[in-house]
Amino acid sequence: MNVFLLLYLCTSAARTDCQVIPVQRWIGPDSYQQCGTAAGQLTASLTDKNRKRLYFICDIQDAGDVGAAQRIELRLTRQSFLL
């Protein structure tokens, strides 16, 4: 199983316009737990104001779905230039 930690960067606290940014990827049977731990730690490190605009989601992909993993990694590269 592949698990991706995704950051949703929103322009307002209403979360109506958000950009998704892949942050990290885990592979293996305990990958969802690792992602959940990282998401919790990252969320706790945000200020109250930023918690309204930023949030982390763990997204599960099949281990055999290499195409999806590559698409997410490519999107990270493109979006990193936009930031």
Side-chain angles (χ1 to χ4, degrees):
M1 166 177 25
N2 289 317
V3 178
F4 293 91
L5 178 61
L6 304 175
L7 167 65
Y8 281 76
L9 175 60
C10 305
T11 58
S12 71
R15 295 183 179 172
T16 54
D17 184 23
C18 300
Q19 182 178 12
V20 180
I21 302 170
V23 176
Q24 193 166 346
R25 172 182 165 194
W26 291 269
I27 300 172
D30 63 342
S31 54
Y32 191 78
Q33 289 81 8
Q34 291 175 351
C35 181
T37 300
Q41 291 170 343
L42 289 168
T43 300
S45 69
L46 295 172
T47 64
D48 289 336
K49 181 180 177 182
N50 282 335
R51 278 191 205 124
K52 295 176 183 174
R53 295 180 40 237
L54 306 171
Y55 61 101
F56 297 92
I57 299 289
C58 293
D59 183 36
I60 299 172
Q61 300 285 329
D62 288 334
D65 192 1
V66 176
Q70 289 174 340
R71 281 192 304 275
I72 287 178
E73 288 174 4
L74 289 174
R75 188 171 56 193
L76 172 62
T77 302
R78 191 188 95 235
Q79 287 182 349
S80 63
F81 289 116
L82 294 174
L83 295 173

